[in-house]
Amino acid sequence: MGLEALFDPAFAGSLPRFITPILLAALGGAICERAGVFNIALEGFILVGAFAAVCGAFFFGSALMGATAAIFAGVLMGLLFAEFHLRRPGDPIVVSIALNLLAAGLTTYLLRTIFGVAGAFRDPAIVGFDGVRLPLIEDVPLVGPVVSGQSPLFYLAIAIAVGLHLFFLRHRLGLRIRAAGENPAALTAGGVSPERVRLYALVACGALCGLAGAQLSIANVNLFVENMSAGRGWIAVVAVLLTRGRPLPLLAIVCLFGFVDSLSFRVQGLGWPQQFTDMMPYVATLVVLVVLSWWRMRRNA
């Protein structure tokens, strides 16, 4: 298999499917980052959202209801984080690890309890999202396979990334979220509670991570597999930390990670060991981290 077979239209069409879940989760993490909440529970948020999406799509026969259930489950996870971090308060790292472990155990338990299966659940009754065809664009070489025929959540994620950039710049709540992370004392002096603003941030983060899980389970594939988030939440965390929660640079970084994630599946056809291809997204993450850290050190010097 040569490069022309590796980077074919099918590869281009697969990119949004890998980019969308990481982007949605990273945007949720960006809101927490700007609000001053160190949230590394994105992996657990995604996993719960993926399971809830399958439940909603299976029992209600609608992909939209599946996405709604995923949002609801993600919001519940965000409220749990807020309860133990903002109200108690607990250390955010400890709370994040606890929620990640809770998500892994809870989804495994519910999979056996509700559906009576272990490992994976697949059923024709799971209704997934259909691709959105864009008639004027789908015939354009290179661009068409990437832009047309994708899940509605892909277009929503791109719109949210752009909208979130403007939200942080222009909207009153966006400015308050930034103040909660950069100068909470000034926010308190203005009569606004930083804890309440951080609660809003955690709820929004949970909703976006729930949609990321829905993309995995009822848009990419119509099934649920134990631990199907497969480290995407951690990649999203790294993307947030690298860009310091800025949405447009975040979009660029996530596109790079999604490209490598998609490429790792394609190169298995070249006979490369699966262990190496599974490692590729994380190697790319480390390389980007080292390069940006070096660049920031040079700039500060």
Side-chain angles (χ1 to χ4, degrees):
M1 180 184 293
L3 291 178
E4 66 281 358
L6 188 62
F7 298 104
D8 58 5
F11 173 77
S14 71
L15 289 176
R17 294 195 292 272
F18 288 89
I19 290 171
T20 304
I22 301 175
L23 178 58
L24 285 168
L27 290 171
I31 297 175
C32 286
E33 172 73 14
R34 301 304 289 269
V37 178
F38 188 65
N39 183 0
I40 58 172
L42 304 183
E43 182 82 0
F45 284 30
I46 295 174
L47 189 58
V48 169
F51 181 81
V54 165
C55 290
F58 176 77
F59 289 111
F60 293 98
S62 167
L64 182 60
M65 290 303 298
T68 303
I71 292 173
F72 181 73
V75 168
L76 286 180
M77 291 290 284
L79 291 175
L80 271 177
F81 195 110
E83 170 66 22
F84 290 105
H85 173 54
L86 301 180
R87 189 168 177 266
R88 294 299 174 176
D91 184 85
I93 297 178
V94 175
V95 174
S96 296
I97 294 174
L99 289 180
N100 284 333
L101 294 175
L102 172 66
L106 182 63
T107 53
T108 300
Y109 170 76
L110 291 178
L111 185 64
R112 289 162 170 77
T113 303
I114 297 176
F115 300 112
V117 297
F121 174 68
R122 180 196 297 268
D123 194 281
I126 300 174
V127 180
F129 282 107
D130 294 324
V132 178
R133 296 291 177 184
L134 304 177
L136 298 178
I137 299 178
E138 62 182 353
D139 295 329
V140 178
L142 298 179
V143 177
V146 176
V147 177
S148 179
Q150 302 300 334
S151 159
L153 297 180
F154 167 68
Y155 307 104
L156 178 63
I158 299 298
I160 291 175
V162 176
L164 199 58
H165 172 72
L166 300 175
F167 175 75
F168 285 142
L169 287 178
R170 305 288 184 182
H171 198 274
R172 178 181 298 177
L173 180 57
L175 296 174
R176 288 178 175 177
I177 288 175
R178 290 173 57 188
E182 297 170 10
N183 195 345
L187 196 61
T188 303
V192 179
S193 169
E195 303 305 312
R196 176 169 294 183
V197 173
R198 288 167 181 161
L199 172 63
Y200 297 155
L202 283 167
V203 169
C205 176
L208 289 173
C209 288
L211 287 176
Q215 171 69 26
L216 283 178
S217 60
I218 61 172
N220 289 358
V221 290
N222 289 347
L223 59 90
F224 177 80
V225 180
E226 293 179 13
N227 297 316
M228 72 180 304
S229 49
R232 290 176 175 86
W234 295 108
I235 294 176
V237 168
V238 173
V240 171
L241 295 177
L242 288 175
T243 59
R244 298 174 181 173
R246 293 174 295 168
L248 296 185
L250 181 68
L251 174 60
I253 289 290
V254 169
C255 286
L256 173 62
F257 290 159
F259 175 85
V260 177
D261 199 10
S262 179
L263 184 64
S264 68
F265 280 84
R266 301 282 292 184
V267 298
Q268 289 184 20
L270 297 177
W272 293 19
Q274 182 181 354
Q275 294 80 359
F276 181 82
T277 59
D278 290 344
M279 185 177 63
M280 286 176 60
Y282 308 104
V283 172
T285 303
L286 289 174
V287 170
V288 173
L289 178 62
V290 170
V291 170
L292 282 181
S293 298
W294 174 81
W295 177 76
R296 285 171 180 166
M297 289 175 61
R298 289 290 300 271
R299 186 184 61 178
N300 292 336

